[in-house]
Amino acid sequence: MIYPEIFEQKTGFDKIRTLVGEKCLSALGKERVEEMAFSDRQDVVSEQIGQTDEFVRILQGDKAFPSDHYIDLRMALKRIRPEGTFLDEKELFDLKHSLQTIYDIVRFFRPDENRTAYPALTALAGNIPVFPQVIQSIDAVLDRYGRIKDSASEALMRIRREISATVGGISRSLQSILRTAQAEGFVDRDASPAMRDGRLVIPVAPAFKRRIRGIVHDESASGKTVYIEPEAVVEANNRVRELESDERREIVRILTEQTDRIRPSTPDILHSYAFMATVDFVRAKALFAIDIQAIKPRIEARPLIDWRDAVHPLLYLSHRKQNKPVEPLDIVLDDENRLLIISGPNAGGKSVCLKTVGLLQYMLQCGMMIPVHERSQTGLFKKLFIDIGDEQSIENDLSTYSSHLTNMKFFVKHSDGDTLLLIDEFGGGTEPLIGGAIAEALLERFNRNRSFGVITTHYPNLKQYAEKTEGLVNGAMLYDRHLMQPLFKLSIGNPGSSFAIEIARKTGLPEEVIADAADRAGAGYIEKDKYLQDIARDKRYWENKRESIRRQEKRLEELTARYEQDIEAVGHQRREILNAAKAEAKQIVTEANARIEQTIREIREAQAEKERTKSARRELDEFKTSVQEEAPDAPARQTKKKRKKPVAQKQTAKPDGKHPATDSATLAVRDAVRIKGQQAVGAVLELDDRQAVIAFGMIKSTVKIAQLEKVSPSQVRKDAVKSTTAGSRMADSMYEKKLHFKQDIDVRGMRGKEALQAVVYFIDDAIQTAAGRVRILHGTGAGILRELIRNYLQSTPGVRRVQDEDVRFGGAGITVVDLE
């Protein structure tokens, strides 16, 4: 039960309803917003808020939810119930789009991961019918612009072809007549056929209208032009009119046929539209929840308010535009403290606090998420009563106080343990003594009924009654006496002061008036008010202290967690270092074995030469020493290895730095040799005392033996590997060039030599990458650049043909080059 009927206007929920409606995509969703109603059933409220919470996660996730074509066609679908009625092209087109949207929404919840992540919305979409056959049937007759296709029927295709042919004939006839008239001077040179009343006509000056035989259809506003349908095309235009009528009849027949297919499914389609309306409504609530940073609180099936950081949504949106913060409220109403009596200064936030409670509780029980902290708990009330503002009525002979008493009469009669009362300025509007007494008596009745409520007042007797009565608790809106401004913070547990003296002093009331008022109030009252202020100040101090300790404890917990993570990371890093060291040791052993095998191979290849054997053994000893000294330090060992290479080179060379002498005694046929100072390796074919015939691939050459040096088989294999690697790199480079090669080049604005150089490089790259055709954009101008480029191209090998680009794509300003 909600009281009074204007509860939504008093709490501001009417503005919430408007804001949510603005976020809907269609009239379907807006209707659901208007139908949104208060509920006291936990299953209903939990389901609605669960759906909204899931939609918030969808909107904040990565998957795109269908949000187009939420079109309301319910009236059109109801209109086609009688036989012979049909949907027009636009309605049929909109129906296809809306049915496709419904199909996409239902399909969105079909995958298992979505079914698990969004159970409430998946259940909502569970039994919704979809109509892929209807969509396909409409697609068969409508094109992507919503017009009937030519292929919708054979008759329509024939009619439209005849219309096209007839109109084409009319156009040719008109053009012929127009050219003749222009040649004779009857019609302006720049005139062209026009359309009047669906018929093709020729614009003619009034002085010459008798020169062209035909029918005058229209005249320009200025009277300087008349539009004549020549006699030669009248019959053809009449035929076009007949064909257009045939076309309309055929389109109506096709639409009627489509509507007849749809009509049996109308009830199911309307049911699907109701589902789409619900989705639009839930989506709008989710968007609003994101705007006000609302959450899904824990809901219990009993009267309870245990809110942390509750914020009035309208105040939050208003202050956000002004970049102003909103002071959140912490409020608790439970079985021990059911009625909260809030006191404090005027304009201190008492009424805002009361409205915040009423609005958020009403939003919650309308299935909306509310802006509170995630640690908050909420309950459900069966009755919400509010008395706020001035409801005096001349027509009903009600004064302000009488209207309040009328409301109190209703509250006393209907309130119970499931009621939430919201009363502003309780007892006000009449003589303070009797008003306070009546308010205290009413408060006693509300407490006896075990009702819950938030009540604001300035009366001291109500503060005292709340202090000594079980079930009631005082609350104060805090005020800064030093800055002389309200803090808009609610403190529960102690009554608040009205700060009347301080506010009077701040407004500039004469000091003698303030002193006289204090004397009249009595020292006891003034002292009591000061004590209340001191209590509120001390409480605020200890609350701030407690909050500071809480923050420090939280920071300590964070530091502890971070240190534990660091310790774990250090242990992980230690294990990685040990594993890396083991891998390094294994690599060292592998390299040592390889070095030993290489040394043995070199000794065998040197055919047991004493000096070469000693040199190989010395290198092995040095490598062994370096490994033993620097095995723990991989970078240093790599440096040592690099430094050893020149030593090995020096040992293989003669002291004078020249290559070892070669004579016929050391060479034999088929030996691998190369010319000193070169890399190419060849084979000995013939040999005499001073010269040798060497084969370098397919080339034979006679070379003096003194210029040759013998190459070991291992070196031949290394050179072969290097050659293969170089070839692979060349292939990779060519592939990269082909991948990034562009078949167009723009040389406009370049000088002749600069442009020609660019074209040369461009054609070279095109031939290398096997491009079949390229384009050179040089512009038209005087044609000098074009001629220069074409002269070069005609003398270039690999160019098969040079020609202008098609006139539609640039003509003579672009040269197209076909390559062999």
Side-chain angles (χ1 to χ4, degrees), residues 487-507:
L487 299 176
F488 302 107
K489 290 183 179 180
L490 174 64
S491 174
I492 297 179
N494 291 300
S497 169
S498 297
F499 292 94
I501 299 295
E502 287 77 3
I503 294 175
R505 188 172 285 118
K506 180 183 178 182
T507 56

Side-chain angles (χ1 to χ4, degrees), residues 438-467:
I438 292 175
E440 188 174 334
L442 289 170
L443 197 57
E444 193 272 334
R445 299 298 189 283
F446 297 150
N447 189 34
R448 187 190 307 166
N449 293 340
R450 302 192 65 79
S451 299
F452 292 72
V454 177
I455 299 172
T456 68
T457 187
H458 289 283
Y459 286 173
N461 66 309
L462 297 183
K463 303 177 191 178
Q464 294 171 3
Y465 181 78
E467 194 68 29

Side-chain angles (χ1 to χ4, degrees), residues 54-71:
E54 290 178 6
F55 220 114
V56 167
R57 288 189 278 118
I58 290 174
L59 294 174
Q60 293 176 338
D62 298 331
K63 295 184 178 180
F65 189 84
S67 58
D68 294 328
H69 306 301
Y70 284 65
I71 306 170

